């Protein structure tokens, strides 16, 4: 379709820290590498601080910046709201945007509670009747090797799903002096490792197996109960660097905030540092999940292995272009995991990118997310994961919290003789 004929899709992004930066990369690249039925237009980025938002707009490729999301969602040249803010703001923004007739992409986890997620899903259901669509940003579904795994499982290549074992391990909080960020505050983030990275492996288990969870038993652990409060954020100067990390904000290029660093005041961590879960899928298949931000040496190790009646698939994000596939029907003499380098043109999304073996990165899953979202909107369909899918993940997270908090099915072990 010639460029001039394509309908435009005005996009406004709320939040411009780590997720805002990678979402901006996705909006910039999607239309350059994929043939989209609509032309996304990066109209405005919204942030709390006018100067930071202006710098972010310049650096990330947005035409304008603003500080009031409520006014932005009323703009006639904005058709879609991309929510990249902490979880405590997702429900209010998404409900208002859907009510205003804007499509919504919201970062995971969808919300900070089942009640909020239910409200969002109800709003999406009402908006769908008006041709307005909503999606949750579980981007790992769009890593080619994981999409390939989902296709192989759907084709029956591993037979009946027997067992799922999944981990999501990072180590950026292993340092006890790492400051208190919003991600460690339950009122902002909703939970810790459980919702931040555990949500990904809950959603991925549903995506790969095509099943939902039937029940869970969980254990949450907080290793470090208090941390130094982050120093007052310095004021950015134009032309400064843009680094950003999970703590959010722009890195580098700032003048001093003027506050001499005193002895660090401490604040309470109110979320989990690790989540350990046993669960069952609707089919009864047992699942084991682990999410931790204290796993030294694991930087972004999302690992999932699914064993079936006729084989298995195994993946580690730290080797994200590779899927390992085991065909149990092969004779023992030559049996073994096949290392599939998922970079061939016939692999999901790859026709748009590089020649075989050149590999993709973390950001490509976000570009694929934009591609599928725009294609879904143009086709009048709710792209997956929908708000309904996101609500299920929220229910699983809340069930894990409930299980961990109540009288667990815990059996003490009493050694007869004390060692
Ligand atoms: C946590 O460190 C985090 O940034 C998650 O919040 C993101 O969803 C994940 O993609 C990378 O790790």
């Amino acid at each position: 379709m010639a460029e001039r004929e394509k309908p435009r899709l005005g996009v406004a992004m709320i939040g411009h820290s780590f997720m805002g930066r990678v979402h901006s990369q996705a909006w910039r690249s999607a239309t350059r590498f994929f043939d989209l039925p609509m032309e996304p237009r990066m109209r405005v980025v919204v942030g709390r601080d006018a100067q930071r938002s202006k710098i972010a707009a310049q650096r990330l490729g947005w035409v304008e910046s603003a500080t009031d999301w409520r006014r932005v969602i009323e703009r006639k040249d904005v058709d879609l709201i991309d929510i990249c803010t902490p979880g405590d703001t997702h429900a209010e923004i998404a409900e208002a945007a859907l009510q205003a007739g804007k499509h919504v992409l919201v970062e995971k986890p969808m919300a900070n509670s089942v009640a909020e997620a239910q409200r969002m899903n109800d709003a999406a259901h009402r908006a769908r009747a008006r041709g307005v669509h909503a999606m949750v940003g579980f981007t790992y579904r769009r890593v080619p090797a994981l999409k390939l795994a989902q296709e192989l499982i759907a084709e029956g290549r591993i037979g009946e799903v027997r067992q799922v074992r999944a981990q999501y391990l990072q180590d950026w909080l292993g340092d006890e002096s790492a400051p208190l960020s919003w991600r460690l505050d339950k009122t902002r983030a909703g939970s810790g490792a459980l919702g931040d990275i555990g949500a990904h492996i809950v959603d991925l288990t549903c995506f790969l197996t095509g099943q939902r969870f039937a029940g869970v038993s969980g254990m949450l652990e907080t290793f470090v109960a208090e941390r130094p409060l982050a120093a007052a954020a310095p004021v950015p100067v134009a032309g400064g660097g843009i680094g950003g990390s999970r703590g959010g904000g722009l890195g580098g290029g700032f003048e001093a905030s003027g506050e001499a660093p005193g002895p660090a005041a401490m604040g309470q961590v109110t979320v989990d540092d690790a989540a350990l879960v046993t669960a069952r899928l609707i089919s009864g298949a047992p699942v084991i999940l682990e999410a931790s931000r204290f796993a030294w040496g694991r930087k972004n190790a999302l690992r999932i292995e699914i064993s079936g009646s006729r084989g298995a698939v195994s993946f580690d994000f730290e080797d994200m272009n590779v899927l390992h596939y085991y065909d149990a029907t092969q004779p023992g003499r030559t049996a073994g995991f096949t290392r599939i380098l998922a970079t061939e043109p016939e692999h999901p999304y790859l026709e748009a990118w590089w020649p075989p073996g050149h590999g993709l990165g973390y950001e490509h899953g976000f570009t694929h997310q934009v591609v599928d979202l725009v294609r879904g909107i143009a086709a009048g369909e709710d792209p997956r994961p929908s708000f309904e899918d996101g609500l299920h993940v929220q229910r699983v997270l809340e069930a894990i919290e409930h299980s961990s908090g109540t009288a667990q099915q815990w059996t003490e072990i009493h050694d007869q003789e004390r060692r």
Side-chain angles (χ1 to χ4, degrees):
M1 189 186 296
E3 291 303 308
R4 66 182 176 285
E5 293 167 7
K6 283 184 182 179
R8 292 184 173 177
L9 185 73
V11 181
M13 182 177 75
I14 304 174
H16 51 72
S17 295
F18 175 22
M19 282 300 117
R21 292 170 58 229
V22 71
H23 279 234
S24 299
Q25 162 73 8
W27 288 112
R28 288 195 304 269
S29 57
T31 188
R32 286 171 171 74
F33 288 88
F34 291 84
D35 181 16
L36 298 183
M38 305 175 85
E39 186 65 27
R41 284 281 190 268
M42 298 169 68
R43 301 225 190 275
V44 54
V45 57
V46 182
R48 286 170 301 177
D49 178 280
Q51 192 174 348
R52 286 174 186 273
S53 302
K54 187 176 176 197
I55 292 172
Q58 292 162 350
R59 299 301 299 270
L60 300 178
W62 296 86
V63 174
E64 298 172 50
S65 63
T67 56
D68 182 349
W69 64 264
R70 288 175 183 79
R71 292 179 59 184
V72 166
I73 66 172
E74 296 304 332
R75 285 175 50 157
K76 295 285 182 281
D77 64 345
V78 168
D79 307 296
L80 184 146
I81 304 296
D82 184 0
I83 304 172
C84 295
T85 52
D88 61 323
T89 61
H90 289 182
E92 182 186 15
I93 298 172
E95 284 183 287
L98 290 164
Q99 177 60 35
K102 313 298 183 182
H103 307 294
V104 169
L105 170 59
V106 66
E107 258 297 324
K108 44 49 62 185
M110 176 176 174
N112 282 1
S113 70
V114 167
E116 288 178 354
Q118 185 66 66
R119 281 176 23 212
M120 293 166 75
N121 188 47
D122 293 346
H125 185 73
R126 291 191 297 273
R128 194 176 300 125
R130 296 183 287 148
V132 176
H133 300 287
M135 182 181 183
V136 185
F138 286 112
T139 55
Y140 291 118
R141 289 181 175 222
R142 296 178 157 86
V143 170
L146 285 170
K147 182 67 175 86
L148 174 63
Q150 183 267 334
E151 291 172 356
L152 293 176
I153 293 169
E155 291 163 17
R157 301 291 287 273
I158 68 168
E160 176 200 347
V161 170
R162 285 268 166 75
Q163 235 189 305
V164 180
R165 56 192 72 86
Q167 295 176 315
Y168 197 160
L169 307 176
Q170 297 178 340
D171 69 0
W172 57 283
L173 285 175
D175 175 359
E176 300 193 10
S177 65
L180 208 61
S181 74
W182 66 267
R183 290 177 187 261
L184 299 170
D185 173 359
K186 187 173 181 63
T187 63
R188 302 291 311 283
S191 64
L194 176 67
D196 183 21
I197 51 181
H200 276 298
I201 49 180
V202 169
D203 175 72
L204 209 46
T205 299
C206 296
F207 171 61
L208 293 178
T209 64
Q211 296 186 46
R212 290 196 161 167
F213 281 74
V216 296
S217 173
M219 177 196 299
L220 301 181
E221 185 69 23
T222 301
F223 301 115
V224 175
E226 58 174 22
R227 289 179 175 273
L229 295 178
V235 177
V237 290
I242 181 165
S245 65
R246 297 179 185 83
L250 306 176
F254 295 100
E255 61 195 20
S257 61
E259 297 192 23
M266 303 296 279
Q268 282 303 310
V269 172
T270 53
V271 296
D272 56 283
D273 289 325
L276 304 170
V277 182
T278 51
R280 285 193 186 279
L281 298 178
I282 289 292
S283 65
V287 178
I288 195 159
L289 303 174
E290 177 191 6
S292 174
R293 302 186 292 199
F294 275 68
W296 280 123
R298 306 300 179 202
K299 300 307 175 183
N300 201 38
L302 186 162
R303 301 161 167 178
I304 190 160
E305 183 167 292
I306 300 179
S307 304
S309 55
R310 294 183 45 221
V313 289
S314 185
F315 172 85
D316 181 343
F317 184 81
E318 291 189 351
D319 189 14
M320 69 165 281
N321 290 286
V322 171
L323 177 69
H324 298 276
Y325 165 58
Y326 186 89
D327 179 351
T329 66
Q330 291 304 307
R333 190 159 173 272
T334 54
F337 271 100
T338 301
R339 178 180 182 272
I340 302 172
L341 187 55
T343 59
E344 299 296 322
E346 57 264 46
H347 287 134
Y349 306 105
L350 260 296
E351 84 282 352
W353 300 107
W354 324 126
H358 288 64
L360 300 187
Y362 173 71
E363 75 280 12
H364 290 89
F366 290 80
T367 299
H368 301 157
Q369 174 173 263
V370 163
V371 169
D372 291 342
L373 173 56
V374 173
R375 286 174 173 168
I377 289 170
E381 295 158 4
D382 254 16
R384 307 289 293 272
S386 64
F387 274 20
E388 186 77 45
D389 295 320
L391 173 57
H392 177 66
V393 172
Q394 217 58 48
R395 287 194 173 114
V396 174
L397 299 182
E398 199 155 274
I400 293 166
E401 284 190 309
H402 174 75
S403 162
S404 172
T406 59
Q408 295 169 345
Q409 297 301 318
W410 185 255
T411 304
E412 292 287 344
I413 296 171
H414 299 291
D415 284 329
Q416 297 313 316
E417 62 290 336
R418 284 284 168 215
R419 295 262 182 258

